[in-house]
Amino acid sequence: MSCWLKEKGEFIVNRQTAIPLRERNIILIGFMGAGKTTIGQLVAKKLYRDFIDVDAEIERRHGMSISEIFAQKGEAYFRKVEREIIIDLCTKTRLKILSLGGGAYLQEEVRRACLAHGIVFFLDLSWDQWKEERLPLIVDSRPVLKNKTLEEVEQLFFQRQSAYALHHSRVVLNELEAEQAAEQIVGSIKWTWDVYEPNR
Ligand SMILES: Nc1ncnc2c1ncn2[C@@H]1O[C@H](COP(=O)(O)OP(=O)(O)OP(=O)(O)O)[C@@H](O)[C@H]1O
Ligand SMILES: O=C(O)C1=C[C@@H](O)[C@@H](O)[C@H](O)C1
Ligand SMILES: [Mg+2]
């Protein structure tokens, strides 16, 4: 498989797809509460692109919150809808900024579609920081956290890392404000466009 490699940003882009880099969707992945929705909105604004939050899109289509979908239809149903929407967005849209839900990337078909058609940024936050700063902000709104002990959530956090490791570029969030993280993503993407697709 031939690749582009940007060492500075650990940037590896698969060339199998014919979509020019500048047109590919930019896809944010990472654990729940890492900041995919917040940072995705900022990236979209900076690049003058449309932003799609997959969780919000699922809520919009169902007229229900994610918590209601989990409670009334079950997690398996949610995962199926989530997978179908992401594959659809990956294969039928371009030039978007997509924020995935925290568990979406655990599905192999989702990973394959994202890596083949988009440019995938992993928003990486340490467990300690997540536990101290993000958990209190999201604990009541994420059904996956419901009825779990802190030890179980920690286990989930580390179990998921091997899926998130399959990305094109990583942003270490620990000391970054959302605005700074967005700037870093935009800088990295523009660098890649200029180097690999000059004169476009
Ligand atoms: N860089 C940051 N610094 C501090 N707080 C942040 C940062 N990014 C996001 N937050 C806050 O963390 C909370 C979760 O952020 P957000 O909803 O963007 O996460 P997410 O990754 O989209 O989560 P999910 O996977 O559940 O959709 C929000 O209250 C947001 O304001
Ligand atoms: O990490 C997860 O499994 C989830 C994260 C949220 O974004 C939502 O997609 C939902 O609450 C499930
Ligand atoms: Mg989100």
Side-chain angles (χ1 to χ4, degrees), residues 33 35-38 53 55 99-102 142:
K36 301 176 293 296
T37 300
T38 310
D53 184 81
D55 285 334
S99 287
L100 268 47
R142 305 305 196 269

Side-chain angles (χ1 to χ4, degrees), residues 127-181:
W127 164 251
D128 285 338
Q129 187 158 1
W130 184 87
K131 181 181 61 176
E132 297 301 324
E133 293 178 14
R134 303 303 165 78
L135 179 58
L137 297 176
I138 64 168
V139 67
D140 295 326
S141 57
R142 305 305 196 269
V144 171
L145 298 176
K146 221 171 144 187
N147 304 323
K148 278 199 175 58
T149 64
L150 189 61
E151 288 69 32
E152 286 167 335
V153 176
E154 182 175 14
Q155 210 173 18
L156 186 70
F157 181 95
F158 286 104
Q159 263 168 11
R160 288 184 170 186
Q161 299 303 313
S162 58
Y164 300 145
L166 304 167
H167 54 255
H168 294 124
S169 186
R170 182 172 70 117
V171 180
V172 179
L173 292 174
N174 293 346
E175 303 304 326
L176 298 181
E177 303 280 333
E179 183 67 36
Q180 294 173 304

